Amino acid sequence: MDRFAQIVGGFMVLLTIYVAVTSHPPVGLALAKTVMPDTVDVMSIVTLVGGSVGGYITFAGGHRLLDAGITGVENMKEVNKSSAMGIGITSLMRILLFLATRGGHFPGADPGSGQPAGFCVQTGSR
């Protein structure tokens, strides 16, 4: 089961990379707003960081190591590697999903029009 989950997870990451690249998101704007956002929402930061570091991500890898019998000081290198990979892959997926969905919005579309994302009415053409 673990090998299957790794293969399917890797396939999911590759597909998300493909969608993020082919949807042509505004990467420059995303990077600029990451460094210099228009507003800083502390609650959003606390929610994202708390959910990543203190939540399911840490536990998800930890209980799998215990199930596999990887415990004790002698396995600390494996534990550190597993936790770093879990947090790293999850962070990568969050970035890729953001870019993939951001690239899927049409330039000039009005997302408040009540239409599904693929059927947004162009602003000014109503």
Side-chain angles (χ1 to χ4, degrees):
M1 183 65 177
D2 283 343
R3 181 61 58 196
F4 178 73
Q6 290 172 346
I7 291 169
V8 173
F11 186 63
M12 178 184 67
V13 171
L14 292 174
L15 281 176
T16 309
I17 290 171
Y18 172 76
V19 172
V21 169
T22 58
S23 66
H24 305 291
V27 177
L29 180 63
L31 287 173
K33 294 299 179 184
T34 298
V35 178
M36 296 176 49
D38 294 333
T39 61
V40 177
D41 185 4
V42 176
M43 291 307 293
S44 295
I45 294 170
V46 169
T47 301
L48 287 171
V49 172
S52 299
V53 178
Y56 70 94
I57 296 167
T58 305
F59 175 74
H63 83 282
R64 298 298 299 155
L65 291 174
L66 291 174
D67 286 346
I70 300 173
T71 61
V73 177
E74 64 276 4
N75 292 314
M76 203 59 170
K77 183 177 181 181
E78 182 70 24
V79 171
N80 287 337
K81 177 183 156 198
S82 177
S83 62
M85 281 183 60
I87 292 170
I89 292 171
T90 302
S91 299
L92 174 68
M93 281 302 292
R94 284 183 176 180
I95 293 166
L96 290 173
L97 286 169
F98 170 78
L99 291 174
T101 56
R102 183 63 182 99
H105 292 114
F106 298 143
D110 179 11
S113 67
Q115 297 292 324
F119 299 99
C120 287
V121 177
Q122 293 291 335
T123 304
S125 62
R126 291 184 183 183

